[in-house]
């Protein structure tokens, strides 16, 4: 493994950081989260046209750039630094890899070029709080019971007049209220032959009702999706087994989320160090006190450790090695610590709604609700690696 970044990778980071510095400052961030979509469409168009961000990890025959998970993770690190609200995670990280892995040739040819251009945004609809389980980050369910059963929870799929029809509800869908394409996990086959399959649903299809939900992290907009006898297209074929693909996707998602959390932790640490160098108490800068130095040094070590783990996880995801769960746990813990210390060391202003430091803490807490929590990420990674079995022998 060569830990050095290539000039092209460094250029991706530099260019994206400069663009986000100009287009996603504190005022622009708050304005974007207050829109119905929860993000700035003009900024999304800019990163798509200038950097090809939505198609960064898609193959060139489908209009993508042809990069690996590493480049996508580096891009997520920069969007995490700015807490950029955008469809990048939902579209490029969660949904596009599934379309590439499971879709038919016709589906790939139709959808992937539009995703790569930024014209088509997509969202993965997993019922309830089961996203982390479906991705194999906090548990493993070989039958896909997390897909639910329609009225009892989740979404039910049935064939009628030669077409698939979906009925049910999905909550907490990232960008589910605004995405033009929905990839919906549904339960089918009845109790005896139950299966979890993935279906393609147009965002404006008949029978689809979508409402934006109030989320803890406003920079990570979520929607509730209701499906009432909605026509859907099966992703892939009837023989397609979507569960292994979802589990494989988990490591890529975790690596990108870890890099994103590292970027956010690094930025809030930078802002805190800058602030304690200016804020004075007892006639001297707060940052000159030894206790404060120790606190920030501990956070710095956590951030750098998490950065190494996230970079390795991105490399490992490209080589089929499972390392994403532990890296994500390390990164979320680092972000929570950096944000908590930032709030405390900013003093009275750190507790105000007007300051941005609380947004970083909410990002850490919100990601734990969706993809964690940290202790479950670590516990499942230990189970997969048979750590306690080996220790007990």
């Amino acid at each position: 493994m060569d830990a050095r970044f290539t000039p092209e990778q460094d250029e991706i980071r530099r260019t994206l950081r400069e663009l986000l510095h100009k287009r996603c400052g504190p005022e622009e961030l708050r304005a974007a989260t207050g829109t119905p979509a929860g993000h700035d469409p003009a900024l999304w168009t800019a990163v798509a046209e200038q950097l090809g961000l939505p198609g960064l990890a898609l193959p060139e025959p489908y209009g993508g750039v042809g990069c690996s998970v590493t480049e996508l993770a580096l891009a997520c690190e920069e969007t995490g630094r700015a807490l950029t609200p955008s469809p990048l995670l939902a579209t490029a990280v969660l949904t596009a890899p599934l379309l590439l892995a499971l879709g038919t040739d016709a589906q790939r040819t139709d959808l992937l070029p539009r995703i790569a251009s930024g014209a088509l945004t997509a969202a993965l609809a997993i019922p309830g709080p089961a996203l982390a389980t479906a991705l194999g980050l906090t548990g493993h369910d070989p039958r896909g019971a997390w897909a639910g059963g329609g009225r009892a929870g989740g979404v039910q799929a049935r064939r009628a007049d030669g077409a698939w029809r979906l009925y049910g509800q999905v909550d907490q869908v990232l960008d589910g209220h605004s995405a033009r394409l929905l990839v919906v996990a549904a339960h089918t086959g009845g109790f005896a032959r139950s299966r979890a399959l993935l279906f393609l649903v147009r965002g404006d299809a008949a029978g689809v009702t979508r409402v934006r939900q109030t989320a803890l992290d406003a920079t990570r907009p979520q929607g509730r999706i209701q499906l009432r006898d909605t026509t859907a297209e099966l992703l892939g074929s009837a023989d397609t087994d979507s569960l292994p693909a979802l589990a494989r996707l988990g490591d890529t998602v975790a690596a990108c989320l870890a890099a994103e959390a590292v970027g956010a932790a690094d930025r809030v640490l930078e802002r805190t160090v800058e602030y304690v160098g200016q804020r004075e108490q007892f006639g001297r800068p707060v940052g000159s006190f030894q206790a404060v130095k120790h606190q920030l040094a501990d956070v710095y070590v956590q951030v750098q450790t998490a950065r190494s783990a996230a970079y390795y996880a991105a490399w490992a995801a490209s080589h089929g090695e499972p390392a994403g769960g532990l890296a994500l746990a390390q990164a979320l813990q680092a972000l929570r610590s950096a944000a908590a210390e930032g709030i405390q060391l900013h003093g009275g202003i750190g507790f105000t709604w007007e300051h941005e430091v609380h947004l970083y803490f909410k990002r850490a807490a919100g990601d734990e609700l969706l993809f964690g929590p940290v202790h479950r990420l670590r516990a499942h990674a230990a189970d997969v690696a048979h750590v306690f079995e080996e220790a007990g022998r």
Side-chain angles (χ1 to χ4, degrees):
M1 174 184 176
D2 188 352
R4 295 171 297 179
F5 290 122
T6 65
E8 291 78 11
Q9 290 170 336
D10 286 331
E11 183 65 16
I12 290 173
R13 302 176 69 185
R14 183 192 64 81
T15 306
L16 182 55
R17 183 175 298 190
E18 290 180 355
L19 177 62
L20 295 179
H21 179 71
K22 296 177 182 177
R23 301 284 297 271
C24 193
E27 294 183 1
E28 292 83 0
L29 171 62
R30 291 179 183 274
T33 58
T35 62
H39 68 269
D40 181 4
L43 177 59
W44 177 246
T45 300
V47 297
E49 293 180 350
Q50 298 180 26
L51 303 176
L53 212 57
L56 198 60
L58 289 177
E60 294 182 19
Y62 296 112
V65 182
C67 293
S68 68
V69 177
T70 300
E71 285 79 10
L72 186 58
L74 291 177
C76 288
E77 182 180 0
E78 296 306 316
T79 59
R81 281 181 61 88
L83 295 182
T84 308
S86 79
L88 180 65
L89 177 62
T91 299
V93 179
L94 283 168
T95 309
L98 288 175
L99 300 177
L100 180 63
L102 302 177
T104 64
D105 290 338
Q107 289 170 341
R108 294 173 186 170
T109 303
D110 175 39
L111 300 174
L112 292 179
R114 290 193 284 153
I115 285 179
S117 69
L120 179 66
T121 56
L124 176 61
I126 299 292
L131 181 57
T133 302
L135 295 174
L137 296 177
T138 59
H140 180 61
D141 183 358
R143 294 189 62 187
W146 43 262
R151 295 178 184 274
V155 179
Q156 181 73 37
R158 62 182 178 86
R159 286 192 68 88
D161 301 326
W164 285 99
R165 301 280 183 171
L166 303 186
Y167 184 96
Q169 177 173 304
V170 191
D171 299 317
Q172 297 174 289
V173 180
L174 290 175
D175 292 315
H177 61 295
S178 62
R180 297 181 59 190
L181 175 69
L182 303 174
V183 177
V184 182
H187 182 275
T188 184
F191 180 79
R193 296 177 297 167
S194 62
R195 294 183 65 192
L197 299 177
L198 295 177
F199 295 87
L200 303 175
V201 178
R202 297 195 326 270
D204 59 354
V208 176
T209 302
R210 304 190 290 173
V211 179
R212 182 178 177 182
Q213 294 182 291
T214 300
L216 173 64
D217 179 12
T219 67
R220 193 83 91 190
Q222 302 174 24
R224 175 189 294 118
I225 300 172
Q226 293 179 333
L227 304 165
R228 297 292 182 268
D229 200 31
T230 303
T231 302
E233 178 185 354
L234 183 64
L235 177 60
S237 65
D239 299 327
T240 300
D241 190 354
S242 58
L243 298 184
L246 279 168
R248 288 192 299 270
L249 176 63
D251 276 316
T252 296
V253 173
C256 292
L257 283 168
E260 191 183 66
V262 165
D266 186 57
R267 179 56 183 149
V268 73
L269 178 60
E270 285 180 1
R271 297 190 64 170
T272 303
V273 170
E274 180 183 0
Y275 183 77
V276 298
Q278 299 172 353
R279 177 187 170 199
E280 292 190 359
Q281 190 72 29
F282 305 112
R284 56 189 287 194
V286 171
S288 66
F289 291 100
Q290 190 174 38
V292 174
K293 291 180 181 179
H294 286 174
Q295 287 177 276
L296 293 176
D298 288 343
V299 173
Y300 176 80
V301 171
Q302 288 190 54
V303 173
Q304 294 306 316
T305 303
R307 175 176 278 116
S308 297
Y311 289 168
Y312 175 75
W315 176 86
S318 301
H319 293 78
E321 297 182 16
L326 278 178
L328 179 56
Q330 186 79 12
L332 291 178
Q333 183 63 52
L335 176 54
R336 179 180 283 268
S337 297
E341 293 293 350
I343 291 174
Q344 182 183 39
L345 293 176
H346 272 80
I349 194 175
F351 289 88
T352 63
W353 188 260
E354 289 74 14
H355 201 274
E356 291 74 42
V357 67
H358 70 93
L359 296 176
Y360 290 89
F361 190 86
K362 290 178 178 177
R363 169 60 65 89
D367 278 1
E368 281 200 60
L369 290 174
L370 284 171
F371 302 100
V374 167
H375 70 274
R376 289 190 60 192
L377 289 167
R378 287 175 173 155
H380 181 64
D383 289 342
V384 171
H386 307 290
V387 171
F388 298 111
E389 294 179 17
E390 295 292 336
R393 290 179 182 175

